[in-house]
Amino acid sequence: MVSLRLFFLISFLSASSLSFAESLESPNSVALTSEYLPLIPGNSWRYRVNEANPVAVKEYTHTVQHQTHSINGIEAVTFTSSTTAEDPVYSYFTNDSNGLRAHGGTFLDENNQPIEGRYSPPMTFLGPQLIVGQTQTSSGTIESDNIRPEDELTMEYSYSSTVLGTETVTVTAGTFATIKVQDRTTRKILHQGIVVYEYYYIDTSWLAKNVGIVKATSEDDEGFIDYSELLSTSFTAPPSGSNIKTDFDGDGKADILWRNGSTGQNYLYLMD
């Protein structure tokens, strides 16, 4: 799903900015996806990832950029994933009344040229609400700038995710009440309609309200498992005593977010 896997192995994605009481706020059996994956410009997350194949320990920074990106006629949020030693990968998401959807991404090829890939239709990771026991499915094709018509190649994807339940999780960034989600993604490469390569991976993610992913595992079809945990966050906050209007629940109407500059407490008012 929204695991820390990079695009085309695609990504998705300060603990001190949350009070202890906020981080332990218990999730309900029905929750808004937009609250558990806050794609707010300027927000960033830092993760430690223990990779299994090859064995390595890396730190990734994931950041929501201020500029949007037009892809397949949709203005999507730009989400970057990077390490200090690697070029950033750009992924494009929306998180609204249609749920959390991945529209594609951009990476640099061996000649340092940008290559864009696009999901058609967008890959729907999660519906607009996180309902325990609910399964979300999505399938389609992957279009890429580096596939020529004469190659006669096509790429397909299929995806399913299930909201498993709630769990309290402790990581470096703190202790969080989370919603646990597991998903399976399959990708195929076809030549003249015949499958020539296929692989899948299974991701499990733990999501905390107003924080995002705090822990994740990713298992590939050879049984290698990567482990990720949140180290810290840096979140954009409105000025003290001010309010920012935006659509937090995806109903097409502006909501109001207040932040107490002294205590750091956030207050969200969903407008009818």
Side-chain angles (χ1 to χ4, degrees):
M1 165 199 121
V2 281
S3 78
L4 307 177
R5 186 180 299 273
L6 295 180
F7 182 76
F8 275 147
L9 296 164
I10 190 171
S11 60
F12 191 89
L13 194 146
S14 109
S16 62
S17 69
L18 299 172
S19 71
F20 190 65
E22 285 178 301
S23 65
L24 284 181
E25 182 178 354
S26 297
N28 299 318
S29 58
V30 178
L32 298 176
T33 301
S34 57
E35 292 182 336
Y36 282 77
L37 288 161
L39 298 181
I40 300 173
N43 280 6
S44 67
W45 300 257
R46 189 167 62 92
Y47 294 92
R48 178 187 298 115
V49 181
N50 292 277
E51 298 181 347
N53 185 28
V55 175
V57 178
K58 297 181 180 179
E59 288 191 8
Y60 286 91
T61 299
H62 304 267
T63 304
V64 181
Q65 301 297 320
H66 288 274
Q67 72 274 20
T68 59
H69 180 78
S70 181
I71 183 167
N72 285 344
I74 295 173
E75 287 298 319
V77 172
T78 301
F79 186 88
T80 59
S81 302
S82 63
T83 69
T84 55
E86 299 172 355
D87 292 320
V89 173
Y90 296 81
S91 300
Y92 310 117
F93 292 92
T94 51
N95 194 357
D96 51 27
S97 58
N98 293 309
L100 176 68
R101 299 188 299 167
H103 297 267
T106 302
F107 63 95
L108 297 179
D109 66 10
E110 64 275 9
N111 298 315
N112 211 37
Q113 297 299 309
I115 300 295
E116 182 176 278
R118 297 166 292 278
Y119 289 118
S120 181
M123 183 188 291
T124 302
F125 285 135
L126 294 167
Q129 293 181 325
L130 297 172
I131 302 173
V132 174
Q134 183 181 71
T135 296
Q136 178 77 45
T137 61
S138 184
S139 62
T141 60
I142 304 172
E143 304 164 353
S144 178
D145 290 342
N146 61 349
I147 296 180
R148 303 168 302 176
E150 58 266 31
D151 294 331
E152 297 184 296
L153 292 175
T154 56
M155 292 189 290
E156 297 179 351
Y157 76 86
S158 60
Y159 174 87
S160 66
S161 66
T162 302
V163 181
L164 299 180
T166 60
E167 186 175 326
T168 299
V169 170
T170 299
V171 294
T172 300
T175 298
F176 303 89
T178 70
I179 293 179
K180 184 178 180 181
V181 178
Q182 188 171 78
D183 63 84
R184 176 180 173 128
T185 304
T186 301
R187 290 195 175 92
K188 300 177 182 179
I189 298 177
L190 301 88
H191 180 252
Q192 296 180 342
I194 299 174
V195 176
V196 294
Y197 182 67
E198 179 177 353
Y199 69 97
Y200 72 86
Y201 51 86
I202 298 172
D203 294 326
T204 305
S205 304
W206 288 259
L207 313 174
K209 187 175 181 180
N210 298 324
V211 180
I213 299 174
V214 299
K215 176 183 172 182
T217 64
S218 185
E219 180 177 1
D220 67 19
D221 54 7
E222 295 182 357
F224 291 100
I225 304 176
D226 295 345
Y227 296 90
S228 308
E229 69 166 308
L230 181 66
L231 299 178
S232 64
T233 66
S234 177
F235 288 164
T236 300
S240 175
S242 69
N243 64 296
I244 288 180
K245 294 183 178 180
T246 188
D247 183 11
F248 285 92
D249 57 358
D251 65 355
K253 299 177 181 179
D255 305 310
I256 299 176
L257 173 68
W258 285 85
R259 181 177 178 85
N260 187 312
S262 299
T263 67
Q265 188 78 27
N266 293 322
Y267 305 90
L268 178 62
Y269 300 91
L270 301 178
M271 308 303 289
D272 296 327

